C-alpha cells in the first residue's frame, strides 16, 4: 500500500470519527456510545493494516471465509474484534462461531439453532443482533418488520431465539435502502428503534441495547436516531477494489 493511500485512510478515519462526534452531539448523545465498525469486505489485508495503524479496532466482514483469513493474519495484534455483518449460509455457521466476536445478521430461527449448537461445541457464547428488514425491499435479508402490524407475528420466532443458551442477544441491525438523500434513510432507522422498543417491552429481561445501523452514506442520521454501532467501509477505505462474490 503506497504512502498516498495510507495518508488517505488515516485522514478518512479521523474525518469519520469527527462526523460521528458531531452527529452524536447534535442528538445530545455521547460519541462513546457509538462504536465504529470498519467494513473491510472486498479490501486486501493491507487496507486492514492501515486501518489498524489509523486506530481502528473493530472490523466488519460480509463473507465468512474472507474475514476469517484476515482475522487469522492479524491474530498477533491484540484487541481486535471481528464482526460478521453479511448473510450467513448455514454451512458457514461453524466458521462464524469459531472466528467472529459478533454476528449482526441473525435472520431466522434455523440459523440461530445451528449457531447455538456450534457455539456450544466451540465452548463460547456468540453475541448476536437480529437483522430486521424495515424497508420491505425484497433484496434485503432479515425479519419481515416493515409495518408495525407485522411485529407481533415476529414474537414467536424471537422468543425461541432469545431462549437459545449459547447465543447472547444484544439488539437489532438493519440496512436502509439506497436513496439519493441521506435524510431519506432516517425513517428506517427510526422504525428499527421503535421495533427495538417493542421487543424490549415484551422481553424486558433481554438486552436490546444495541442498534447496528448506518453506513457510509447515511450514518449521521442513524446516530441521531440512536445507532450504537455504525458500519462504515467506503468512507474510510475508498471504493472496494475487488468484491468477492463467494462466501
Ligand atoms: C458493505 C456493507 C457496509 C458498508 O458499506 P459502505 O457503504 O461501504 O460504508 C455496511 N453494512 C453492510 C451489511 C454491508 O454489507
Amino acid at each position: 500500500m503506497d504512502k498516498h493511500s495510507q495518508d488517505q485512510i488515516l485522514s478518512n478515519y479521523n474525518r469519520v470519527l469527527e462526523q460521528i462526534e458531531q452527529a452524536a452531539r447534535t442528538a445530545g448523545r455521547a460519541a462513546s456510545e457509538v462504536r465504529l465498525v470498519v467494513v473491510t469486505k472486498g479490501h486486501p489485508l493491507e487496507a486492514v493494516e492501515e486501518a489498524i495503524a489509523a486506530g481502528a479496532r473493530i472490523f466488519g466482514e460480509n463473507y465468512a471465509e474472507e474475514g476469517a483469513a484476515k482475522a487469522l493474519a492479524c491474530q498477533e495484534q491484540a484487541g481486535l474484534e471481528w464482526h460478521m455483518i453479511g448473510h450467513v449460509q448455514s454451512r458457514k455457521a461453524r466458521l462464524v462461531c469459531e472466528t467472529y466476536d459478533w454476528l449482526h445478521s441473525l435472520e431466522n430461527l434455523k440459523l440461530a439453532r445451528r449457531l447455538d449448537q456450534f457455539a456450544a461445541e466451540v465452548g463460547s457464547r456468540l453475541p448476536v443482533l437480529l437483522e430486521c428488514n424495515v424497508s420491505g425491499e425484497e433484496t434485503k435479508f432479515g425479519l419481515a418488520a416493515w409495518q408495525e402490524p407485522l411485529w407481533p407475528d415476529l414474537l414467536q420466532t424471537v422468543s425461541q431465539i432469545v431462549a437459545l443458551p449459547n447465543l447472547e442477544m444484544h439488539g437489532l441491525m438493519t440496512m436502509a435502502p439506497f436513496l439519493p438523500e441521506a435524510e431519506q434513510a432516517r425513517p428506517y432507522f427510526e422504525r428499527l428503534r421503535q421495533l427495538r422498543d417493542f421487543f424490549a417491552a415484551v422481553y424486558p429481561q433481554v438486552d436490546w441495547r444495541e442498534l447496528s445501523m448506518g453506513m457510509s452514506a447515511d450514518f449521521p442520521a442513524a446516530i441521531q436516531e440512536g445507532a450504537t454501532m455504525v458500519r462504515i467501509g467506503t468512507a474510510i477505505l475508498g471504493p472496494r477494489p475487488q468484491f468477492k462474490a463467494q462466501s
Side-chain angles (χ1 to χ4, degrees):
M1 188 144 288
D2 60 31
K3 185 78 173 72
H4 173 72
S5 40
Q6 290 176 12
D7 292 347
Q8 195 67 58
I9 289 174
L10 178 62
S11 72
N12 288 348
Y13 180 76
N14 287 329
R15 192 190 56 244
V16 165
L17 287 184
E18 268 167 40
Q19 289 170 326
I20 290 173
E21 174 90 46
Q22 200 176 8
R25 200 174 332 115
T26 59
R29 304 181 60 206
S32 58
E33 292 171 29
V34 184
R35 272 182 281 183
L36 169 56
V37 179
V38 179
V39 178
T40 45
K41 67 164 181 233
H43 286 280
L45 182 61
E46 294 77 67
V48 178
E49 288 165 347
E50 288 312 326
I52 293 172
R57 292 295 177 267
I58 309 177
F59 295 95
E61 285 281 341
N62 282 59
Y63 299 102
E65 272 148 4
E66 185 187 336
K70 288 172 189 164
L72 185 66
C74 294
Q75 63 181 347
E76 299 291 300
Q77 171 80 44
L80 301 187
E81 280 181 22
W82 293 89
H83 291 212
M84 178 63 186
I85 62 172
H87 177 61
V88 179
Q89 293 174 302
S90 38
R91 64 198 164 85
K92 300 295 152 99
R94 176 187 288 277
L95 183 62
V96 167
C97 286
E98 288 168 347
T99 305
Y100 291 88
D101 301 292
W102 281 78
L103 172 66
H104 292 223
S105 41
L106 181 58
E107 53 178 287
N108 63 54
L109 181 59
K110 183 165 165 259
L111 176 63
R113 285 190 171 133
R114 276 185 81 87
L115 289 163
D116 178 65
Q117 179 199 331
F118 289 130
E121 287 176 29
V122 171
S124 65
R125 297 181 82 211
L126 181 66
V128 297
L129 304 176
L130 272 183
E131 180 168 0
C132 298
N133 179 342
V134 290
S135 67
E137 287 177 296
E138 282 175 23
T139 52
K140 295 264 191 300
F141 291 104
L143 300 180
W146 46 89
Q147 287 168 351
E148 218 174 307
L150 296 171
W151 295 356
D153 297 343
L154 304 175
L155 294 176
Q156 202 187 351
T157 299
V158 171
S159 67
Q160 292 181 81
I161 292 177
V162 299
L164 294 170
N166 304 297
L167 299 185
E168 232 172 59
M169 182 58 66
H170 289 291
L172 307 183
M173 176 272 216
T174 201
M175 280 175 90
F178 293 101
L179 296 161
E181 302 283 335
E183 242 347 270
Q184 293 174 288
R186 188 183 292 273
Y188 302 97
F189 301 138
E190 198 179 353
R191 190 172 297 153
L192 192 74
R193 191 188 63 229
Q194 289 164 347
L195 176 61
R196 184 274 304 277
D197 295 345
F198 171 74
F199 287 146
V202 181
Y203 305 106
Q205 74 284 9
V206 175
D207 175 15
W208 297 104
R209 240 171 305 179
E210 306 290 343
L211 290 175
S212 169
M213 55 189 196
M215 309 182 9
S216 291
D218 54 25
F219 69 91
I223 290 170
Q224 287 164 355
E225 295 303 327
T228 61
M229 295 189 190
V230 289
R231 309 177 310 267
I232 301 177
T234 313
I236 295 173
L237 302 174
R240 287 176 269 280
Q242 83 251 25
F243 188 82
K244 288 199 189 131
Q246 39 96 339
S247 64

